[in-house]
């Protein structure tokens, strides 16, 4: 349809803006700005499968300082005024959240809860929150050797992972912790990954995919039998595995819940 064509055109136009702005631009560890934007886009589409085109445009443009973005959009003749207004609205909120300083809590959980509440209030809407989450996921990689990684690591672990859980996004919380662990404690990450792969007899990502296939197969069998149930599958994350080994003073061979499939019946069958 014409509407879809226009939406695709607008998204491409937003991307052409960042291509000009970020051409050859890198973070201190040589991670490219455009690579960062591509990865954020990939993650936001996974988090919000039904994402609308204007939110996609805002995601593409979210890293450009708001004053500069206003100027770029004002002179752009190819993006509609309605879209420009909404993009500015979303990006302004994203930058407001991202610019909220996180200080070491002086009163424990109370201060952390207050900070999470402040983030939710500043975000105002789910789309903003998901752009921020996708941004944090990828800033972890981009912040290496920047002098900013320690701050970001603490912010992700103490705030955003818990905030994702609070919003019912347990998978996202695990990813935030995993990415953080992978970057900030890479040697330990590789050590545990190697041990898990040795136990499973396959690559960690292959094991995750195999588990998803098994989950789909079980769900298919139950559906054919007319059994109303939800099937969940999980391969224990490397970060939570490390935490369990350290807190319980056990070896990886003693971990009993490395992976599993759970079937939740909606009624007695």
């Amino acid at each position: 349809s014409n509407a879809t064509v226009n939406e695709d055109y607008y998204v491409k136009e937003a991307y052409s803006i960042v291509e000009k702005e970020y051409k050859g631009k890198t973070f201190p560890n040589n991670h490219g700005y455009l690579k960062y934007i591509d990865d954020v886009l990939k993650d936001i589409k996974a988090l919000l499968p039904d994402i609308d085109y204007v939110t996609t445009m805002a995601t593409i443009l979210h890293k450009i300082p708001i004053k500069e973005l206003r100027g770029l959009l004002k002179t752009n003749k190819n993006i509609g005024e309605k879209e420009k207004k909404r993009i500015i609205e979303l990006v302004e909120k994203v930058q407001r959240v991202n610019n909220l300083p996180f200080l070491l809590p002086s009163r424990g959980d109370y201060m952390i809860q207050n900070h999470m509440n402040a983030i939710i209030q500043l975000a105002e809407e789910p789309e903003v929150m998901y752009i921020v989450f996708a941004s944090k996921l990828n800033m972890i990689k981009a912040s290496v050797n920047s002098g900013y990684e320690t701050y970001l690591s603490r912010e992700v672990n103490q705030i955003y992972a818990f905030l994702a859980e609070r919003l019912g996004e347990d998978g996202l919380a695990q990813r935030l912790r995993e990415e953080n662990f992978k970057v900030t404690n890479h040697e330990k990450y590789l050590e545990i990954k190697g041990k898990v792969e040795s136990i499973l007899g396959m690559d960690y990502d292959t094991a995750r995919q195999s588990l998803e296939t098994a989950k789909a197969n079980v769900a298919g069998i139950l559906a054919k039998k007319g059994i109303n149930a939800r099937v969940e599958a999980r391969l224990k994350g490397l970060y939570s595995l490390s935490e369990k080994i350290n807190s319980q003073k056990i070896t990886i061979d003693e971990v009993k819940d490395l992976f599993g499939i759970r079937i939740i019946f909606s009624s007695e069958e």
Side-chain angles (χ1 to χ4, degrees):
S1 70
N2 287 336
T4 304
V5 171
N6 285 341
E7 289 173 9
D8 290 344
Y9 174 77
Y10 281 154
V11 171
K12 285 175 183 173
E13 184 63 25
Y15 197 83
S16 72
I17 291 173
V18 294
E19 279 183 319
K20 289 173 191 169
E21 287 296 300
Y22 296 154
K23 187 178 180 181
K25 190 173 181 180
T26 63
F27 291 94
N29 65 345
N30 291 323
H31 190 84
Y33 267 65
L34 281 176
K35 168 70 173 141
Y36 161 82
I37 292 296
D38 289 341
D39 289 344
V40 170
L41 267 178
K42 183 180 173 184
D43 283 327
I44 194 84
K45 285 174 181 177
L47 291 167
L48 287 176
D50 298 323
I51 187 171
D52 66 83
Y53 74 103
V54 184
T55 305
T56 302
M57 293 167 78
T59 303
I60 291 167
L61 299 166
H62 81 275
K63 201 76 178 158
I64 299 174
I66 194 69
K67 189 175 179 182
E68 186 182 339
L69 182 59
R70 285 181 192 277
L72 288 167
L73 290 178
K74 188 175 182 179
T75 56
N76 187 290
K77 306 297 182 188
N78 299 320
I79 298 174
E81 291 305 314
K82 180 184 76 173
E83 285 79 9
K84 288 178 184 179
K85 184 179 178 183
R86 178 62 176 152
I87 288 165
I88 290 295
E89 188 179 65
L90 287 168
V91 172
E92 203 162 25
K93 290 173 184 175
V94 169
Q95 293 186 8
R96 211 181 293 156
V97 173
N98 278 334
N99 292 336
L100 182 68
F102 174 53
L103 307 174
L104 274 172
S106 57
R107 282 178 286 164
D109 290 343
Y110 175 75
M111 291 296 287
I112 288 172
Q113 288 298 329
N114 275 0
H115 193 84
M116 284 196 278
N117 291 341
I119 288 170
I120 292 168
Q121 285 168 6
L122 288 173
E124 292 183 11
E125 49 189 317
E127 290 86 352
V128 173
M129 210 57 258
Y130 282 109
I131 296 173
V132 171
F133 278 131
S135 166
K136 295 296 177 188
L137 265 173
N138 290 284
M139 275 306 296
I140 294 168
K141 290 178 278 189
S143 71
V144 176
N145 300 327
S146 66
Y148 175 62
E149 65 265 39
T150 303
Y151 172 89
L152 184 63
S153 171
R154 195 177 73 232
E155 185 185 45
V156 166
N157 265 352
Q158 295 185 17
I159 297 295
Y160 283 95
F162 286 112
L163 185 52
E165 287 173 341
R166 179 171 160 181
L167 298 174
E169 293 284 358
D170 292 347
L172 173 59
Q174 181 177 328
R175 267 204 71 198
L176 284 162
R177 292 187 178 111
E178 288 285 301
E179 286 295 333
N180 199 30
F181 182 46
K182 183 178 180 180
V183 170
T184 58
N185 203 343
H186 195 58
E187 285 184 14
K188 189 69 177 173
Y189 173 87
L190 290 177
E191 178 193 333
I192 291 177
K193 185 171 182 276
K195 287 179 180 177
V196 170
E197 290 175 345
S198 177
I199 291 168
L200 297 174
M202 66 179 76
D203 175 81
Y204 186 79
D205 290 329
T206 304
R208 199 199 303 270
Q209 288 163 10
S210 297
L211 203 54
E212 284 300 314
T213 302
K215 169 186 161 183
N217 290 340
V218 171
I221 291 167
L222 291 171
K224 279 181 183 177
K225 291 183 179 292
I227 298 171
N228 191 9
R230 187 170 84 249
V231 182
E232 296 178 352
R234 189 196 67 155
L235 177 61
K236 199 167 187 69
L238 299 175
Y239 170 79
S240 61
L241 198 51
S242 173
E243 289 287 289
K244 185 165 191 169
I245 290 166
N246 291 336
S247 65
Q248 297 186 12
K249 304 288 188 278
I250 57 175
T251 67
I252 198 164
D253 298 295
E254 296 173 281
V255 175
K256 304 298 182 187
D257 60 341
L258 193 55
F259 63 90
I261 291 179
R262 181 167 64 171
I263 302 171
I264 302 161
F265 297 97
S266 57
S267 60
E268 290 185 15
E269 301 287 354

